[in-house]
Amino acid sequence: MAKIKGRPLGDREILAALFRSRVEEESPQTDSRWRQFCFDEDRLSLELRELAKRTGKRVAVKRTKAFAAEFSKRMRLRISRLDPVDLPAPVDDLKLPRHLVGTALGVLGADLFPTRRRAHRLAMGAARDLAYFGYGRLSDQVLPHPADLVRGALAGEDSLYVQPVLLDEAGHSMRRRWSIFDLVQADPHMHRELDGEGELARFQQRLREDPLDGTMVSRLRSFFSRRATIGLRDTGRWVLGSRHPWFGWERARELLAHCQDRWGTENFISPQVAFYLPDLEQDEEELEAVEALNRSLVDLFAKRLAGKVPAGMVEKLGSDGLALISDAALDCHLDLPDFDLERADRIGGETALRFASHVVGSVGKELIGQGSGHARNFNLQAHFLAKGMEDRWLDGFADDDKQRIYTALLELLKEHDAGGGLKDETGQLLSYRRPTHRIYTFVASPEPMPRAEEQVLDSFDLSELKLPQHAHLLQAHPEIFEKLVVFFVLVMRLHQDTGHLPDLKPPKALRDFWLLGIWGTQTRNLVVHLYAHRDTGKVRSEIRLLATEQHRALEPEDPLLEEAAVTRLASARLNSVLTVGLLRALGTFSMAAEESYQGTRVQALGTVAFVRQSLEVFRETARTGIKGSLVDLATTLEVLVDASVDAAQRGLDRVARLSRSDE
């Protein structure tokens, strides 16, 4: 960090100045979770000069203007939304409070709130993306911390060590800068140890040298060995021109190896760094006053906690430990609701009828003014485990001792809720006010960034792939298809290893994704840039992943599905769309690469060959139809069996209660 004479600048102070320099971007597609911003160069230059005055250091106007121009060119900002949710309806501008929509859909796993855990999950997704899709120097795969960049610019430093930070988390007891290595270690879905830059580089190199494991080979062999992919969605895509690869697995394997040899060192990452902190629009003095009152309540809470647990545990935790877990418990409890972690207490997802009544009841209460606002979180152990806090502060405690602590914390939280706070020795009521938090994500600009000797030849995302103005360049530069083959092989390996996929849905999700099963080939989250050397005319291409989130492919045994039959049925269909869509996307770009070598393939079939191929297509049609029907039937039967057993157990419980009452 640069040393600056005068008053040092805090991270929040710098981030607030960047925040005031934002300008909202026009987006072709509304995002219910994020708002997108760029930076105004002139406004940012003024903010930088104001920051320089606060440090007591004179900074040349030319320097602040140059930094503002470069920063505005290379950076974008995404901010999580808390405003009402727009709903598709016959009436224009129909909006519902976000807490209402989030509560109604949260029982099905919808995630509409910028919670602390959501910030962790997004950062872990970014770490997975970096590990699997990144390559080369680490400084090309991560963004510098914006506050460090500004300090360096004001101090006149031209170079800066880039720390591999992906999440900067605020909070008295939880403040932490999470590196990619911290996130990988905390991620339950990553099963590899990446302890440092050297380990990450070796993992990425091994992955690029040999991305196919035995399971992937089996899946790819099955896919490429078919004569057709058949189903309702396949028929719709076939009418629109989609085709199954005409070549078999042997040729496909040669093609995949060729693409990997040529482009296995490509970096597909668009770097980012996220912040979870109190709303930057909140007045600084007001925020400091709230935090001071909160510290007083935390001290009182910790003293009361010490009186509820055995003396030996109090001594082991110490006064600092008691204060830390007290602050963390209050923060978790008053954070926006996390329905995954509150699974034991949530209702509404067990049956379609109960889910419908849950939604109608939630909306009805809001409309008549009896809504209770957002729900509280009570499953403290689940929150402490999910956020890594149990390992940090309660490591070494026996399970029974941990339960005593959680029980005591929960009793104090309920007392705080019931009385609007806790009373100190003088009778003064102290309450905890959790400031509104948001997730702020700085991302590299999706715009093309040519080198000094280059000019931009073309730039487009995959939803524009078939437009005439781009098609002729694709024919002239088929290496784009080869790079897409490499990318989707890595996507398949990510899914194989972690059960996650990047968000590569098409813009028209209802028609193209849900009805036609298109995924990956028409997404806006993959962009292609083409550059031409000014002197030689040599063309360079790059592909960048812009996806903001990852999808988790839920398995039938996943705990999230244990109590939510509606979610289980939806998940069975979603997983089939995602996993099969991934194979189709890889097949599509493999065909495009093959056509660039051999031209479009037109077969001249004799009668016997035609009949033979027709029989193969019939066999694939019948097998696909049977498998699809069995998936739906098996899922439905599972739900019926579970519902029957649950009903029988409730009946037995009632009989037991009646027996006890007779006694």
Side-chain angles (χ1 to χ4, degrees):
M1 183 183 297
K3 294 182 178 180
I4 303 176
K5 295 180 180 179
R7 183 172 69 81
L9 295 171
D11 285 359
R12 182 177 175 85
E13 191 175 9
I14 295 174
L15 293 172
L18 297 174
F19 175 77
R20 290 190 294 270
S21 306
R22 76 197 187 284
V23 178
E24 188 157 13
E25 289 186 315
E26 292 291 334
S27 175
Q29 192 174 16
T30 303
D31 192 324
S32 63
R33 294 183 176 92
W34 300 97
R35 296 174 66 186
Q36 312 280 346
F37 297 88
C38 58
F39 293 96
D40 182 270
E41 179 181 334
D42 296 331
R43 196 183 302 176
L44 179 55
S45 180
L46 291 174
E47 290 287 348
L48 291 173
R49 290 204 289 274
E50 180 60 30
L51 288 176
K53 290 179 183 177
R54 297 178 195 175
T55 66
K57 185 179 182 68
R58 297 187 63 180
V59 180
V61 174
K62 184 178 180 180
R63 171 172 284 275
T64 59
K65 283 188 173 181
F67 177 84
E70 188 69 11
F71 190 93
S72 302
K73 175 184 176 183
R74 294 187 175 275
M75 291 281 196
R76 296 293 184 268
L77 177 64
R78 292 197 305 263
I79 303 178
S80 58
R81 304 183 71 145
L82 284 170
D83 56 327
V85 178
D86 289 312
L87 295 179
V91 181
D92 291 338
D93 299 326
L94 177 61
K95 298 177 183 290
L96 288 176
R98 184 167 294 267
H99 74 82
L100 170 63
V101 179
T103 300
L105 300 181
V107 296
L108 299 185
D111 200 357
L112 295 177
F113 299 131
T115 61
R116 188 178 295 274
R117 180 166 174 258
R118 175 163 166 74
H120 286 194
R121 290 165 65 176
L122 290 171
M124 287 179 184
R128 287 183 222 114
D129 283 344
L130 192 153
Y132 279 82
F133 306 134
Y135 197 84
R137 295 182 304 175
L138 188 58
S139 59
D140 293 333
Q141 303 175 54
V142 296
L143 276 185
H145 195 291
D148 293 344
L149 272 179
V150 170
R151 290 191 189 94
L154 297 181
E157 296 179 355
D158 294 325
S159 60
L160 176 72
Y161 171 71
V162 180
Q163 298 180 349
V165 174
L166 297 183
L167 174 64
D168 193 336
E169 179 183 11
H172 176 65
S173 60
M174 290 150 286
R175 178 162 184 77
R176 182 176 181 181
R177 284 189 177 186
W178 292 79
S179 71
I180 176 180
F181 314 116
D182 300 326
L183 291 163
V184 167
Q185 184 177 9
D187 186 356
H189 304 288
M190 283 288 288
H191 307 296
R192 288 173 171 79
E193 293 292 333
L194 302 179
D195 296 330
E197 189 171 343
E199 279 294 316
L200 174 64
R202 283 189 288 275
F203 169 74
Q204 291 175 331
Q205 184 174 359
R206 288 194 299 268
L207 185 65
R208 299 303 181 93
E209 290 174 351
D210 187 18
L212 302 182
D213 66 0
T215 304
M216 287 178 64
V217 168
S218 178
R219 291 176 62 193
L220 289 170
R221 179 188 291 113
S222 174
F223 175 76
F224 281 101
S225 297
R226 299 174 190 170
R227 301 301 300 175
T229 48
I230 302 297
L232 183 60
R233 293 187 177 94
D234 302 278
T235 303
R237 286 191 304 274
W238 187 88
V239 171
L240 296 175
S242 176
R243 296 293 182 268
H244 187 77
W246 67 81
F247 44 87
W249 166 238
E250 292 303 322
R251 174 54 191 154
R253 188 164 194 165
E254 293 175 0
L255 178 62
L256 298 182
H258 171 75
C259 295
Q260 204 70 37
D261 289 342
R262 287 196 69 189
W263 309 111
T265 58
E266 284 290 304
N267 177 28
F268 300 105
I269 279 294
S270 184
Q272 61 178 292
V273 57
F275 296 81
Y276 182 76
L277 66 161
D279 195 328
L280 288 172
E281 288 189 295
Q282 187 166 0
D283 180 75
E284 198 67 26
E285 293 183 0
E286 179 185 349
L287 180 62
E288 290 176 359
V290 168
E291 290 178 341
L293 292 173
N294 286 346
R295 284 194 293 272
S296 299
L297 184 278
V298 168
D299 291 340
L300 175 61
F301 197 101
K303 290 178 183 177
R304 298 279 296 274
L305 176 63
K308 287 181 174 289
V309 296
M313 295 170 62
V314 172
E315 183 178 355
K316 189 172 182 179
L317 284 167
S319 57
D320 290 342
L322 288 167
L324 286 171
I325 63 174
S326 297
D327 181 60
L330 286 159
D331 183 87
C332 293
H333 178 61
L334 297 173
D335 197 356
L336 292 165
D338 191 317
F339 292 95
D340 281 357
L341 299 182
E342 299 295 308
R343 197 164 50 241
D345 299 319
R346 74 182 184 182
I347 61 170
E350 292 83 353
T351 66
L353 180 61
R354 194 169 184 187
F355 170 65
S357 64
H358 163 73
V359 173
V360 171
S362 300
V363 174
K365 287 181 180 180
E366 186 69 27
L367 293 178
I368 64 176
Q370 295 183 4
S372 58
H374 73 74
R376 298 285 187 254
N377 296 305
F378 289 96
N379 194 350
L380 290 182
Q381 185 169 21
H383 285 266
F384 272 52
L385 284 169
K387 299 167 187 174
M389 295 185 290
E390 184 171 290
D391 290 339
R392 290 168 66 183
W393 301 321
L394 300 179
D395 188 34
F397 282 87
D399 290 342
D400 290 344
D401 290 339
K402 291 178 184 178
Q403 288 304 317
R404 290 191 184 96
I405 293 173
Y406 289 128
T407 300
L409 288 170
L410 196 56
E411 289 176 359
L412 287 170
L413 290 173
K414 290 181 177 179
E415 182 182 342
H416 178 277
D417 291 348
L422 299 178
K423 289 185 178 181
D424 62 11
E425 295 83 355
T426 66
Q428 181 182 1
L429 186 67
L430 301 178
S431 61
Y432 191 95
R433 288 174 52 199
R434 189 181 193 274
T436 299
H437 284 60
R438 291 182 186 267
I439 303 171
Y440 299 85
T441 305
F442 289 83
V443 297
S445 171
E447 301 300 319
M449 296 292 166
R451 297 167 183 166
E453 68 279 5
E454 294 177 334
Q455 61 183 2
V456 178
L457 190 62
D458 199 3
S459 178
F460 55 91
D461 60 54
L462 292 198
S463 69
E464 305 169 312
L465 194 65
K466 296 181 180 179
L467 295 180
Q469 59 266 39
H470 309 305
H472 72 283
L473 284 172
L474 291 173
Q475 293 175 358
H477 304 285
E479 71 272 10
I480 295 172
F481 295 124
E482 296 177 341
K483 292 182 180 182
L484 287 169
V485 169
V486 173
F487 175 78
F488 278 98
V489 168
L490 294 173
V491 171
M492 190 173 181
R493 183 58 184 265
L494 170 69
H495 176 253
Q496 179 72 31
D497 291 349
T498 70
H500 287 75
L501 290 167
D503 181 7
L504 299 178
K505 294 192 302 295
K508 297 178 180 178
L510 178 60
R511 186 197 71 180
D512 292 341
F513 179 66
W514 288 107
L515 295 182
L516 295 177
I518 296 173
W519 183 88
T521 56
Q522 297 182 22
T523 179
R524 288 198 176 111
N525 288 334
L526 274 178
V527 296
V528 178
H529 301 312
L530 290 167
Y531 309 100
H533 194 283
R534 296 181 188 277
D535 298 328
T536 65
K538 184 178 179 180
V539 173
R540 177 176 68 89
S541 62
E542 64 181 16
I543 296 171
R544 290 289 181 264
L545 172 67
L546 308 180
T548 58
E549 308 191 30
Q550 287 190 345
H551 293 300
R552 181 180 172 191
L554 297 174
E555 300 299 332
E557 65 273 11
D558 195 286
L560 177 63
L561 307 179
E562 288 178 358
E563 299 146 5
V566 176
T567 310
R568 191 186 307 183
L569 289 167
S571 174
R573 305 320 307 155
L574 176 62
N575 286 354
S576 65
V577 175
L578 288 175
T579 54
V580 177
L582 169 57
L583 287 169
R584 293 190 186 109
L586 183 55
T588 296
F589 293 119
S590 298
M591 282 193 295
E594 181 70 358
E595 287 178 1
S596 70
Y597 310 141
Q598 301 182 10
T600 303
R601 183 176 183 272
V602 179
Q603 287 182 305
L605 294 177
T607 302
V608 175
F610 176 78
V611 172
R612 190 186 303 277
Q613 180 166 320
S614 299
L615 288 172
E616 290 290 339
V617 171
F618 169 76
R619 176 162 59 184
E620 188 63 33
T621 303
R623 292 174 61 186
T624 303
I626 291 171
K627 288 178 181 177
S629 300
L630 289 176
V631 167
D632 290 336
L633 178 61
T635 307
T636 304
L637 288 176
E638 285 177 6
V639 173
L640 290 175
V641 170
D642 290 347
S644 301
V645 173
D646 291 342
Q649 288 177 341
R650 286 194 294 269
L652 291 173
D653 291 341
R654 185 177 180 184
V655 171
R657 287 195 299 270
L658 291 174
S659 300
R660 287 194 296 269
S661 63
D662 291 340
E663 295 175 359

